[in-house]
Amino acid sequence: MQGGIRFNSIGNELRKTFGRRTVKLSIDAGFTCPNRDGTCGYGGCAFCSGDGSGELAAHLSADTEALASAISSSISEQISLLSDKWPDAAYIAYFQSHTNTYAPVSILRRLYYQALDDPRISGIAIATRPDCLGEDVLDLLEEISRSHYMWVELGLQTIHEETSLAMGIGYDLEVYDRAVSELLSRGIRVVTHLILGLPGETEEMMLDSVRYVCSQPIFGIKLHLMNVVKTSRLSEMMPDYVPFGSIEEYADLVVRCLEIIPPEITIHRLTGDVPRRLLIAPEWSYRKRTILNKINSELAARDTHQGAAL
Protein backbone atom coordinates (compact mmCIF):
# COMPACT_ATOMS: atom_id res chain seq x y z
CA MET A 1 0.00 0.00 0.00
CA GLN A 2 1.17 3.57 -0.58
CA GLY A 3 1.30 6.86 1.29
CA GLY A 4 1.24 5.25 4.76
CA ILE A 5 -2.23 3.76 4.16
CA ARG A 6 -2.17 0.24 5.57
CA PHE A 7 -5.55 -1.06 4.44
CA ASN A 8 -8.04 -0.30 1.68
CA SER A 9 -10.89 1.26 3.63
CA ILE A 10 -14.31 1.71 2.07
CA GLY A 11 -14.16 5.34 3.17
CA ASN A 12 -11.12 5.98 1.00
CA GLU A 13 -12.64 4.03 -1.88
CA LEU A 14 -15.85 6.08 -1.75
CA ARG A 15 -13.91 9.33 -1.54
CA LYS A 16 -12.11 8.34 -4.75
CA THR A 17 -15.43 7.40 -6.37
CA PHE A 18 -17.47 10.46 -5.38
CA GLY A 19 -14.70 12.99 -4.77
CA ARG A 20 -15.77 13.69 -1.18
CA ARG A 21 -16.54 12.05 2.15
CA THR A 22 -19.38 9.58 1.71
CA VAL A 23 -21.61 8.58 4.64
CA LYS A 24 -23.90 5.56 4.93
CA LEU A 25 -27.41 6.32 6.21
CA SER A 26 -28.82 3.30 8.07
CA ILE A 27 -32.32 2.44 6.84
CA ASP A 28 -34.66 0.01 8.61
CA ALA A 29 -37.25 -0.72 5.92
CA GLY A 30 -39.42 -2.94 8.09
CA PHE A 31 -38.21 -6.30 6.78
CA THR A 32 -38.14 -9.51 8.79
CA CYS A 33 -36.00 -12.61 8.18
CA PRO A 34 -36.73 -16.23 7.18
CA ASN A 35 -34.90 -17.22 10.35
CA ARG A 36 -37.44 -15.25 12.40
CA ASP A 37 -40.81 -15.82 10.74
CA GLY A 38 -40.67 -19.62 10.71
CA THR A 39 -39.61 -20.14 7.09
CA CYS A 40 -36.34 -21.66 8.28
CA GLY A 41 -36.44 -20.84 11.98
CA TYR A 42 -37.66 -18.57 14.77
CA GLY A 43 -35.86 -15.96 16.82
CA GLY A 44 -33.00 -15.31 14.41
CA CYS A 45 -29.45 -16.62 14.57
CA ALA A 46 -28.23 -17.35 18.09
CA PHE A 47 -26.02 -14.24 18.14
CA CYS A 48 -28.70 -11.83 16.85
CA SER A 49 -30.47 -9.51 19.24
CA GLY A 50 -34.22 -9.25 19.39
CA ASP A 51 -34.00 -6.23 17.08
CA GLY A 52 -31.78 -7.87 14.43
CA SER A 53 -28.42 -6.58 13.25
CA GLY A 54 -29.37 -2.92 12.80
CA GLU A 55 -29.36 -1.80 16.43
CA LEU A 56 -28.85 1.86 15.50
CA ALA A 57 -31.30 2.10 12.59
CA ALA A 58 -34.59 3.92 13.02
CA HIS A 59 -37.65 1.66 13.27
CA LEU A 60 -40.21 2.21 10.58
CA SER A 61 -43.91 1.37 10.24
CA ALA A 62 -45.73 -1.43 8.45
CA ASP A 63 -47.42 -0.91 5.05
CA THR A 64 -45.50 -0.18 1.88
CA GLU A 65 -46.49 3.46 1.32
CA ALA A 66 -45.98 4.28 4.98
CA LEU A 67 -42.59 2.58 4.81
CA ALA A 68 -41.66 4.53 1.69
CA SER A 69 -42.60 7.79 3.37
CA ALA A 70 -40.70 6.80 6.51
CA ILE A 71 -37.59 6.05 4.45
CA SER A 72 -37.64 9.59 3.08
CA SER A 73 -38.16 10.99 6.57
CA SER A 74 -35.31 8.89 7.96
CA ILE A 75 -32.96 10.06 5.20
CA SER A 76 -33.85 13.71 5.85
CA GLU A 77 -33.49 13.37 9.60
CA GLN A 78 -30.10 11.69 9.37
CA ILE A 79 -28.77 14.19 6.84
CA SER A 80 -29.98 17.03 9.03
CA LEU A 81 -28.05 15.59 11.98
CA LEU A 82 -24.90 15.00 9.93
CA SER A 83 -24.84 18.08 7.72
CA ASP A 84 -23.28 20.39 10.31
CA LYS A 85 -20.36 17.99 10.75
CA TRP A 86 -20.02 17.11 7.05
CA PRO A 87 -21.76 19.83 5.00
CA ASP A 88 -20.40 18.56 1.67
CA ALA A 89 -20.82 14.81 2.19
CA ALA A 90 -22.29 12.36 -0.29
CA TYR A 91 -24.72 9.75 1.06
CA ILE A 92 -25.33 6.04 0.55
CA ALA A 93 -28.72 4.62 1.56
CA TYR A 94 -27.82 1.52 3.60
CA PHE A 95 -30.69 -0.97 3.92
CA GLN A 96 -29.28 -2.60 7.02
CA SER A 97 -31.65 -4.22 9.48
CA HIS A 98 -32.79 -7.83 9.06
CA THR A 99 -32.98 -9.30 5.52
CA ASN A 100 -33.44 -6.54 2.96
CA THR A 101 -34.36 -8.69 -0.04
CA TYR A 102 -36.97 -10.69 1.85
CA ALA A 103 -40.18 -9.31 0.34
CA PRO A 104 -42.04 -9.40 -2.99
CA VAL A 105 -40.12 -7.63 -5.75
CA SER A 106 -42.87 -5.04 -6.15
CA ILE A 107 -42.29 -3.94 -2.56
CA LEU A 108 -38.51 -4.06 -2.88
CA ARG A 109 -38.66 -1.91 -6.00
CA ARG A 110 -40.86 0.67 -4.31
CA LEU A 111 -38.66 0.95 -1.23
CA TYR A 112 -35.28 0.92 -2.97
CA TYR A 113 -36.30 3.57 -5.48
CA GLN A 114 -37.86 5.68 -2.72
CA ALA A 115 -34.30 6.12 -1.45
CA LEU A 116 -32.58 6.27 -4.83
CA ASP A 117 -34.93 8.92 -6.21
CA ASP A 118 -33.81 11.32 -3.49
CA PRO A 119 -31.29 13.62 -5.22
CA ARG A 120 -29.14 13.68 -2.07
CA ILE A 121 -28.52 9.92 -2.33
CA SER A 122 -25.49 8.82 -4.37
CA GLY A 123 -25.89 5.06 -4.09
CA ILE A 124 -27.37 2.12 -2.23
CA ALA A 125 -26.09 -0.76 -0.10
CA ILE A 126 -28.35 -3.73 0.61
CA ALA A 127 -27.67 -6.22 3.40
CA THR A 128 -29.24 -9.64 3.02
CA ARG A 129 -28.90 -13.39 3.44
CA PRO A 130 -27.54 -15.49 0.56
CA ASP A 131 -30.68 -17.66 0.65
CA CYS A 132 -32.93 -14.68 -0.14
CA LEU A 133 -31.85 -13.90 -3.70
CA GLY A 134 -34.41 -15.36 -6.08
CA GLU A 135 -34.16 -14.80 -9.82
CA ASP A 136 -36.62 -11.91 -9.76
CA VAL A 137 -34.72 -10.21 -6.94
CA LEU A 138 -31.45 -10.65 -8.83
CA ASP A 139 -33.06 -9.10 -11.91
CA LEU A 140 -34.08 -6.06 -9.88
CA LEU A 141 -30.64 -5.71 -8.33
CA GLU A 142 -29.01 -5.95 -11.74
CA GLU A 143 -31.35 -3.26 -13.07
CA ILE A 144 -30.41 -0.94 -10.22
CA SER A 145 -26.70 -1.64 -10.57
CA ARG A 146 -26.75 -0.55 -14.21
CA SER A 147 -27.73 3.01 -13.30
CA HIS A 148 -26.73 3.46 -9.65
CA TYR A 149 -23.72 2.84 -7.45
CA MET A 150 -24.57 -0.27 -5.43
CA TRP A 151 -23.22 -3.17 -3.45
CA VAL A 152 -24.96 -6.16 -1.84
CA GLU A 153 -23.84 -7.45 1.56
CA LEU A 154 -24.06 -11.17 2.25
CA GLY A 155 -24.04 -12.36 5.84
CA LEU A 156 -21.92 -15.50 5.67
CA GLN A 157 -20.40 -15.20 9.18
CA THR A 158 -18.34 -18.42 8.91
CA ILE A 159 -17.44 -21.11 6.38
CA HIS A 160 -17.53 -23.83 9.05
CA GLU A 161 -20.62 -26.01 9.01
CA GLU A 162 -20.42 -27.01 12.67
CA THR A 163 -20.44 -23.36 13.74
CA SER A 164 -23.25 -22.46 11.34
CA LEU A 165 -25.40 -25.31 12.69
CA ALA A 166 -24.67 -24.42 16.31
CA MET A 167 -25.61 -20.78 15.71
CA GLY A 168 -28.76 -21.72 13.78
CA ILE A 169 -27.80 -19.63 10.76
CA GLY A 170 -30.01 -21.67 8.44
CA TYR A 171 -28.00 -21.92 5.19
CA ASP A 172 -24.78 -23.61 4.17
CA LEU A 173 -21.65 -22.60 2.29
CA GLU A 174 -23.01 -23.88 -1.02
CA VAL A 175 -25.88 -21.37 -0.80
CA TYR A 176 -23.40 -18.55 -0.20
CA ASP A 177 -21.21 -19.66 -3.11
CA ARG A 178 -24.20 -19.73 -5.43
CA ALA A 179 -25.31 -16.26 -4.33
CA VAL A 180 -21.83 -14.82 -4.92
CA SER A 181 -21.65 -16.44 -8.35
CA GLU A 182 -25.07 -15.09 -9.36
CA LEU A 183 -24.31 -11.56 -8.17
CA LEU A 184 -20.87 -11.40 -9.76
CA SER A 185 -22.18 -12.76 -13.06
CA ARG A 186 -24.55 -9.78 -13.15
CA GLY A 187 -21.81 -7.27 -12.42
CA ILE A 188 -23.01 -6.58 -8.87
CA ARG A 189 -20.48 -5.70 -6.16
CA VAL A 190 -20.44 -8.19 -3.27
CA VAL A 191 -19.44 -7.48 0.32
CA THR A 192 -19.10 -10.48 2.64
CA HIS A 193 -19.73 -10.30 6.37
CA LEU A 194 -17.72 -12.54 8.75
CA ILE A 195 -17.88 -12.70 12.54
CA LEU A 196 -14.64 -13.15 14.48
CA GLY A 197 -15.01 -14.97 17.78
CA LEU A 198 -17.94 -17.29 17.17
CA PRO A 199 -18.15 -20.00 19.87
CA GLY A 200 -16.00 -23.04 19.19
CA GLU A 201 -13.86 -21.45 16.49
CA THR A 202 -10.09 -21.31 16.73
CA GLU A 203 -8.14 -18.42 15.28
CA GLU A 204 -7.05 -20.66 12.41
CA MET A 205 -10.70 -21.44 11.62
CA MET A 206 -11.43 -17.71 11.47
CA LEU A 207 -8.44 -17.13 9.21
CA ASP A 208 -9.66 -19.96 6.98
CA SER A 209 -13.00 -18.17 6.58
CA VAL A 210 -11.16 -15.00 5.55
CA ARG A 211 -9.00 -16.90 3.06
CA TYR A 212 -12.01 -18.62 1.56
CA VAL A 213 -14.13 -15.55 0.88
CA CYS A 214 -11.12 -13.65 -0.45
CA SER A 215 -10.45 -16.38 -3.00
CA GLN A 216 -13.43 -14.98 -4.93
CA PRO A 217 -13.45 -11.53 -6.60
CA ILE A 218 -15.61 -9.85 -3.98
CA PHE A 219 -15.67 -6.06 -3.65
CA GLY A 220 -15.45 -5.87 0.13
CA ILE A 221 -15.33 -7.62 3.46
CA LYS A 222 -16.70 -6.83 6.91
CA LEU A 223 -14.98 -8.28 9.97
CA HIS A 224 -17.29 -8.04 12.96
CA LEU A 225 -16.20 -8.60 16.53
CA MET A 226 -18.50 -11.20 18.11
CA ASN A 227 -20.66 -9.39 20.65
CA VAL A 228 -22.78 -11.28 23.15
CA VAL A 229 -25.90 -9.15 23.65
CA LYS A 230 -28.61 -9.33 26.28
CA THR A 231 -31.51 -10.11 23.96
CA SER A 232 -29.80 -12.93 22.03
CA ARG A 233 -30.30 -16.68 22.39
CA LEU A 234 -26.53 -17.00 22.74
CA SER A 235 -26.67 -15.08 26.01
CA GLU A 236 -28.92 -17.84 27.36
CA MET A 237 -27.06 -20.73 25.73
CA MET A 238 -23.60 -19.57 26.87
CA PRO A 239 -24.04 -16.86 29.54
CA ASP A 240 -20.34 -16.87 30.46
CA TYR A 241 -18.94 -16.83 26.93
CA VAL A 242 -16.29 -14.18 26.24
CA PRO A 243 -15.07 -14.17 22.62
CA PHE A 244 -11.75 -12.36 23.23
CA GLY A 245 -9.92 -11.68 26.45
CA SER A 246 -8.59 -8.26 25.54
CA ILE A 247 -8.46 -5.55 22.89
CA GLU A 248 -4.83 -6.56 22.26
CA GLU A 249 -5.84 -10.16 21.50
CA TYR A 250 -8.54 -9.03 19.09
CA ALA A 251 -6.30 -6.48 17.37
CA ASP A 252 -3.63 -9.13 16.84
CA LEU A 253 -6.12 -11.37 15.03
CA VAL A 254 -7.48 -8.53 12.89
CA VAL A 255 -3.97 -7.58 11.77
CA ARG A 256 -3.34 -11.19 10.73
CA CYS A 257 -6.65 -11.20 8.86
CA LEU A 258 -5.73 -8.01 7.02
CA GLU A 259 -2.41 -9.50 5.97
CA ILE A 260 -4.18 -12.27 4.02
CA ILE A 261 -6.80 -10.06 2.37
CA PRO A 262 -5.91 -9.02 -1.20
CA PRO A 263 -5.23 -5.26 -1.31
CA GLU A 264 -7.94 -4.60 -3.92
CA ILE A 265 -10.71 -5.79 -1.56
CA THR A 266 -12.29 -2.92 0.37
CA ILE A 267 -12.46 -3.12 4.15
CA HIS A 268 -15.91 -2.10 5.42
CA ARG A 269 -15.60 -2.96 9.09
CA LEU A 270 -12.98 -4.14 11.58
CA THR A 271 -15.04 -4.30 14.78
CA GLY A 272 -18.72 -3.85 15.72
CA ASP A 273 -21.33 -1.37 16.95
CA VAL A 274 -23.52 -2.42 19.86
CA PRO A 275 -25.21 -0.06 22.33
CA ARG A 276 -23.56 -0.43 25.74
CA ARG A 277 -26.94 -1.05 27.37
CA LEU A 278 -27.27 -4.31 25.39
CA LEU A 279 -23.68 -5.52 25.63
CA ILE A 280 -22.61 -8.47 27.77
CA ALA A 281 -19.22 -9.46 26.34
CA PRO A 282 -16.54 -8.52 25.56
CA GLU A 283 -17.21 -5.73 28.04
CA TRP A 284 -14.76 -3.43 26.22
CA SER A 285 -16.18 -3.91 22.73
CA TYR A 286 -18.28 -0.72 22.81
CA ARG A 287 -14.98 1.22 22.72
CA LYS A 288 -14.87 1.27 18.94
CA ARG A 289 -12.37 4.10 18.55
CA THR A 290 -9.97 2.48 21.04
CA ILE A 291 -10.17 -0.85 19.18
CA LEU A 292 -9.55 0.78 15.80
CA ASN A 293 -6.65 2.81 17.20
CA LYS A 294 -5.08 -0.37 18.56
CA ILE A 295 -5.44 -2.14 15.21
CA ASN A 296 -3.83 0.81 13.42
CA SER A 297 -1.02 1.04 15.97
CA GLU A 298 -0.33 -2.69 15.60
CA LEU A 299 -0.16 -2.35 11.83
CA ALA A 300 2.35 0.46 12.22
CA ALA A 301 4.39 -1.29 14.94
CA ARG A 302 4.73 -4.39 12.75
CA ASP A 303 5.26 -2.31 9.62
CA THR A 304 2.66 -4.47 7.87
CA HIS A 305 -0.39 -3.88 5.73
CA GLN A 306 -3.34 -5.47 3.94
CA GLY A 307 -2.13 -8.27 1.70
CA ALA A 308 1.37 -8.38 3.22
CA ALA A 309 1.27 -12.16 3.77
CA LEU A 310 0.10 -13.04 0.24
Side-chain angles (χ1 to χ4, degrees), residues 4-310:
I5 298 173
R6 297 183 181 271
F7 61 90
N8 182 20
S9 74
I10 184 59
N12 287 338
E13 177 67 21
L14 291 174
R15 187 182 289 275
K16 286 189 287 186
T17 300
F18 297 108
R20 50 187 169 151
R21 175 184 284 274
T22 304
V23 180
K24 290 189 300 181
L25 306 178
S26 294
I27 304 296
D28 181 341
F31 296 110
T32 184
C33 171
N35 209 11
R36 290 178 178 273
D37 68 3
T39 300
C40 71
Y42 292 97
C45 303
F47 47 75
C48 283
S49 74
D51 289 332
S53 60
E55 297 290 0
L56 303 181
H59 287 280
L60 307 178
S61 51
D63 71 80
T64 306
E65 289 309 309
L67 284 168
S69 175
I71 286 171
S72 289
S73 296
S74 179
I75 288 171
S76 292
E77 289 166 7
Q78 291 183 68
I79 290 176
S80 177
L81 289 172
L82 295 167
S83 58
D84 285 345
K85 185 175 183 181
W86 298 307
D88 299 318
Y91 295 100
I92 299 284
Y94 179 29
F95 284 73
Q96 178 183 17
S97 191
H98 300 295
T99 304
N100 292 275
T101 60
Y102 190 49
V105 166
S106 59
I107 294 176
L108 297 178
R109 176 183 293 278
R110 178 73 181 90
L111 299 182
Y112 296 161
Y113 277 104
Q114 182 71 25
L116 287 168
D117 288 343
D118 189 314
R120 300 168 296 180
I121 297 298
S122 299
I124 187 171
I126 299 168
T128 191
R129 290 166 56 100
D131 58 347
C132 292
L133 289 169
E135 195 73 17
D136 55 348
V137 174
L138 289 165
D139 287 344
L140 174 61
L141 295 175
E142 183 178 10
E143 171 196 315
I144 292 171
S145 72
R146 289 198 194 108
S147 55
H148 297 83
Y149 187 89
M150 184 182 78
W151 70 74
V152 172
E153 296 187 5
L154 297 178
L156 174 61
Q157 322 310 356
T158 178
I159 66 167
H160 302 289
E161 182 179 7
E162 61 270 36
T163 308
S164 183
L165 289 172
M167 294 294 100
I169 290 174
Y171 49 84
D172 57 25
L173 188 57
E174 183 179 350
V175 173
Y176 166 80
D177 286 339
R178 187 163 56 248
V180 172
S181 177
E182 289 284 356
L183 289 165
L184 293 179
S185 71
R186 294 166 181 262
I188 297 169
R189 297 176 186 86
V190 175
V191 176
T192 299
H193 189 177
L194 295 175
I195 296 178
L196 301 178
L198 287 165
E201 293 208 346
T202 64
E203 290 191 350
E204 193 55 39
M205 291 171 72
M206 299 176 218
L207 291 168
D208 283 343
S209 289
V210 174
R211 290 187 189 98
Y212 185 91
V213 302
C214 292
S215 68
Q216 300 161 306
I218 60 173
F219 170 64
I221 189 169
K222 298 180 81 167
L223 301 178
H224 198 300
L225 167 60
M226 174 70 233
N227 291 300
V228 183
V229 295
K230 293 178 181 178
T231 53
S232 67
R233 288 190 292 115
L234 182 59
S235 67
E236 299 175 0
M237 294 163 52
M238 304 179 69
D240 298 320
Y241 180 62
V242 179
F244 294 94
S246 68
I247 292 176
E248 290 74 18
E249 180 186 348
Y250 181 71
D252 173 71
L253 176 61
V254 171
V255 168
R256 287 187 286 137
C257 288
L258 286 169
E259 289 178 327
I260 60 173
I261 297 173
E264 67 272 13
I265 292 177
T266 53
I267 306 301
H268 290 237
R269 183 181 288 276
L270 292 175
T271 182
D273 289 318
V274 173
R276 195 172 180 182
R277 61 185 171 78
L278 292 178
L279 180 64
I280 297 176
E283 56 85 20
W284 41 261
S285 68
Y286 70 92
R287 295 162 60 190
K288 181 179 178 180
R289 180 49 53 191
T290 301
I291 297 167
L292 293 175
N293 286 343
K294 183 60 179 175
I295 292 167
N296 284 315
S297 68
E298 282 300 305
L299 286 166
R302 302 179 197 189
D303 192 22
T304 191
H305 54 83
Q306 182 178 338
L310 297 176

